[in-house]
Amino acid sequence: MDYYRGHLSKQMEEESTSLSAFKNSPRPSSKHTTYFSVYDHLFRSYRGKKITLVEVGILNGGSLFMWREFFGPDARIIGVDLNPEVVKFREYGFEIFVGSQSDPNFWKEVTREIGSIDILIDDGGHNYIQQIVTAECTLENISDGGLLIVEDTHTSYLEGFGTASL
């Protein structure tokens, strides 16, 4: 689902590099309208550089392609998801790890293999326990000056996203 459709001004659409990358992705992705200007601002100094980006929660893979276009060919784009079917995105040059973001042992293995992370985007299960475990288990791997972005924190206040959905 494309959350941006019909909600952004023409000026914002023309100015947003991340929105353009989102729209050009060959796979679907869903992002809230307000994210694009934040992405453009927070990530501008990383564009065109050799960085490591990890995104938790890749669903249909659309954001993997979005980040590739946004950051450029030198970026190492890594996806983490619970669904084993996402390994198909390896054929496009993405590194993929399959496992539960609420499992510290999973993160121990993943962080050991990945090493230093410049940007980590948690767009995974949207459960506050999962978000906390992910932050706690990856924080030491985030490089000095790196970013940890936790999307959809509003779900902590929605029914169905409490500890019962782990």
Side-chain angles (χ1 to χ4, degrees):
M1 173 180 288
D2 299 11
Y3 286 148
Y4 79 90
R5 294 201 190 279
H7 297 285
L8 295 179
S9 69
K10 182 103 173 120
Q11 179 183 4
M12 183 177 174
E13 285 192 42
E14 291 170 357
E15 294 175 0
S16 177
T17 309
S18 62
L19 176 60
S20 176
F22 172 83
K23 292 166 78 173
N24 290 335
S25 176
R27 304 270 183 182
S29 179
S30 59
K31 298 288 184 187
H32 288 282
T33 303
T34 55
Y35 291 0
F36 298 110
S37 62
V38 175
Y39 293 152
D40 290 336
H41 175 75
L42 291 177
F43 300 155
R44 75 173 155 238
S45 65
Y46 293 92
R47 296 191 68 224
K49 296 185 178 167
K50 190 174 183 172
I51 65 159
T52 298
L53 175 136
V54 176
E55 183 163 27
V56 180
I58 56 175
L59 195 58
N60 297 309
S63 59
L64 297 174
F65 293 94
M66 171 189 164
W67 296 130
R68 169 68 66 227
E69 180 174 329
F70 183 80
F71 289 108
D74 292 331
R76 179 182 179 201
I77 308 295
I78 302 167
V80 175
D81 205 287
L82 187 59
N83 182 352
E85 292 181 22
V86 298
V87 298
K88 65 186 175 192
F89 296 115
R90 288 179 180 155
E91 72 180 84
Y92 299 98
F94 303 110
E95 293 176 53
I96 304 295
F97 293 88
V98 176
S100 173
Q101 76 175 112
S102 60
D103 180 359
N105 291 321
F106 168 72
W107 281 118
K108 206 175 284 187
E109 293 174 30
V110 170
T111 55
R112 184 173 38 247
E113 189 166 333
I114 291 174
S116 183
I117 299 168
D118 297 297
I119 301 171
L120 188 140
I121 302 170
D122 183 347
D123 189 20
H126 304 120
N127 174 291
Y128 65 90
I129 298 295
Q130 293 168 323
Q131 293 166 339
I132 290 168
V133 169
T134 298
E136 287 178 345
C137 292
T138 60
L139 200 54
E140 287 184 17
N141 284 69
I142 296 177
S143 60
D144 288 344
L147 299 170
L148 168 61
I149 309 294
V150 182
E151 295 183 347
D152 304 316
T153 56
H154 68 281
T155 58
S156 294
Y157 304 97
L158 298 176
E159 191 174 326
F161 285 94
T163 56
S165 62
L166 284 176

